[in-house]
Amino acid sequence: MKEVNDRIKSFGIRNRILIFAILVTLAPTLGLGWVFHNQTRKLLKKNAKMELHYLINQAQQLAGLWCKKSSLNLRIFSNSFVISENLEYFAKAGQGSGNSASKERTTAIAALLKYLEMIQTQCKEYKSLHIFDNSGNLVVKSPAFSNTIITNTFPGKWQERLKHDHILIKELDCNIGLDETIIMIAAPIFSDKRKFLGMLAAELSIKKLIDVITPTTQAQSIQLSLVNKDGVSLFPKPTDFNSSITVHKMSKECSIYINTHGTKVVGIYAPLSPLSWGIVIEKNYNQVFADILLRLKNITLSMVALLLTIVGIAAFFVSYSILSPLKLLTNGAMRVAKGDFNVKLPVKKQDELGLAISIFNDMVEKVYKYNAQLEKLSTADSLTGLFNRRHLMDVLDMHIKRYNRNQVSFSILMADLDFFKKINDHYGHIAGDAVLVEIGKIFSTILRSIDAAGRYGGEEFLIILDNTRERQAEQTAERIRKAVEQSEIIMDEKRIKVTVSIGVATIDHIKDTKDNNLINRADKALYQAKQNGRNCVALSTT
């Protein structure tokens, strides 16, 4: 009887241990699996959103710069006296009759055609060029044999719009009869007395725009599409599955939908200013969610079934095999929470938790990369609004590489405020900060948009002048010096005057592209300016 009771007690204890082991094992496993599943999904969606936002913003910027450059070039060409004078001759000859008028018209057309051909040799992006009179009648086009339907696509009140905006942009897609999608850009033509004579229009192939924005999305899982205002895909051409994207349902928030190729994707849409088109960037849904989350789900279910079957035999080993990786993950997560992204957990076993550790490692790596990208986006000095030193070094490196490649000359200015410490000591650091802010405004006012200025350190500034030789750089430095000298900062009813010393160095030899030699030359010139009595400009002599 005692033996039976002992066996019953033993059996009962084993059952209680088994039940406890099941509860202790299953509850954390299911709970952690659910939490990890949700957190992983949120993180993956956040990462995908950040990636798509970054890519679409980059594509928007590239497209905008491309349109701006093409429009600016066309406006420059339209201001040529060759076009205005010959278009006036053409118009006057049209009012006359006889062989003389016909000959004048022929001469004017020949001159205009020759000028258009010259433009096309310089600007390969222009597929064709057209000159229209102020009534919209075609005068001449280049190439002369090119097909065009631009004359049928002028928007309403196009003359007034050209006079006011000085540029006209319109999209012409294959739905209106073209064999390929093009962009029309037009600029007004005025006489020397500002009389509106007509317009110079250019056709640009969509392929050129695609070549500009496509390099932003080289990953195989990323797809870029260009759509018109109706959502019809212009590039790539849609399949029979679906001819358009529901643009009104898309925004800069990530959306999940079936794209024109019948693939489930995570996509984001943004308008492509100044065009009426939009850009869509998509990432394969399976690349973002399905593969990883389905695998996690299957692994969790398999682990539960395995535990229910063998928990009585392998409870200890299962507990150990679970708690050890969990501790590893917890320690790793705590390090990440403290800002340490140098976490690489070892994957000791190729099981469910091993997969979780691999996913964790991948997650930390992605978060680190995106943090690094965000840091790179921070290029401005918080006080002056100018570039910070790190970004200035990147810009300088870009100019040096361009010099090595194409010998495009540039200059740098090293500027330092004179006796700045006395300002801080006498008026206080708040006044010193106000002086630095004012200096930043002066730089922004004087410098061109292609130049770069930033705070090199303390009260020292570095300015990079693009495509500028020594004489031009010296003149710019002198304008800055005078502007600073004439500036005045008022703090607590006290007038603060400040001056600046500037050193100028122009790249002129391959040695300037190595070991910061160009900066050293500018720094020596700055030292010489201070030796010359400050509030002056000195050129590099080495």
Side-chain angles (χ1 to χ4, degrees), residues 165-296:
D165 300 334
H166 299 287
I167 201 69
L168 187 66
I169 299 178
K170 184 173 178 60
E171 309 84 5
L172 309 174
D173 60 41
C174 54
N175 293 335
I176 59 174
L178 295 178
D179 57 352
E180 66 171 317
T181 305
I182 64 171
I183 302 169
M184 183 196 79
I185 300 179
I189 302 172
F190 294 101
S191 68
D192 55 355
K193 297 181 180 180
R194 301 305 296 171
K195 178 183 177 182
F196 179 68
L197 301 177
M199 70 175 177
L200 172 63
E203 290 181 349
L204 292 86
S205 173
I206 190 180
K207 295 177 181 178
K208 298 292 184 180
L209 176 58
I210 296 302
D211 291 340
V212 171
I213 62 178
T214 298
T216 62
T217 56
Q218 295 296 330
Q220 293 181 353
S221 59
I222 301 293
Q223 174 67 45
L224 180 145
S225 301
L226 197 63
V227 298
N228 64 14
K229 60 184 178 181
D230 299 321
V232 176
S233 178
L234 303 174
F235 175 86
K237 293 297 182 181
T239 63
D240 294 336
F241 180 82
N242 188 8
S243 62
S244 65
I245 296 174
T246 309
V247 173
H248 69 278
K249 292 184 179 180
M250 300 183 63
S251 64
K252 279 211 169 184
E253 295 298 326
C254 289
S255 303
I256 299 175
Y257 58 93
I258 305 298
N259 68 4
T260 57
H261 302 284
T263 305
K264 191 174 184 180
V265 296
V266 178
I268 190 170
Y269 166 84
L272 205 57
S273 178
L275 305 173
S276 65
W277 295 337
I279 187 171
V280 178
I281 293 183
E282 302 165 340
K283 189 169 185 178
N284 189 287
Y285 177 86
N286 289 333
Q287 294 289 333
V288 181
F289 295 115
D291 289 346
I292 294 177
L293 296 180
L294 181 61
R295 193 178 304 174
L296 284 175

Side-chain angles (χ1 to χ4, degrees), residues 242-360:
N242 188 8
S243 62
S244 65
I245 296 174
T246 309
V247 173
H248 69 278
K249 292 184 179 180
M250 300 183 63
S251 64
K252 279 211 169 184
E253 295 298 326
C254 289
S255 303
I256 299 175
Y257 58 93
I258 305 298
N259 68 4
T260 57
H261 302 284
T263 305
K264 191 174 184 180
V265 296
V266 178
I268 190 170
Y269 166 84
L272 205 57
S273 178
L275 305 173
S276 65
W277 295 337
I279 187 171
V280 178
I281 293 183
E282 302 165 340
K283 189 169 185 178
N284 189 287
Y285 177 86
N286 289 333
Q287 294 289 333
V288 181
F289 295 115
D291 289 346
I292 294 177
L293 296 180
L294 181 61
R295 193 178 304 174
L296 284 175
K297 180 180 178 181
N298 293 336
I299 289 173
T300 303
L301 293 176
S302 300
M303 186 171 59
V304 170
L306 180 64
L307 287 173
L308 289 174
T309 304
I310 64 172
V311 68
I313 302 174
F316 172 79
F317 299 101
V318 171
S319 299
Y320 179 82
S321 64
I322 291 175
L323 292 176
S324 179
L326 284 178
K327 185 177 180 180
L328 199 62
L329 277 172
T330 302
N331 293 336
M334 291 177 64
R335 290 174 59 188
V336 172
K338 293 178 181 179
D340 180 14
F341 294 100
N342 246 345
V343 178
K344 185 70 173 180
L345 302 181
V347 182
K348 297 180 180 179
K349 295 183 180 180
Q350 298 300 322
D351 56 7
E352 296 81 4
L353 290 173
L355 176 61
I357 293 176
S358 298
I359 295 173
F360 176 85

Side-chain angles (χ1 to χ4, degrees), residues 385-397:
L386 301 174
F387 290 134
N388 57 29
R389 179 167 179 166
R390 180 178 62 184
H391 185 68
L392 276 175
M393 293 300 99
D394 292 340
V395 174
L396 181 60
D397 183 62

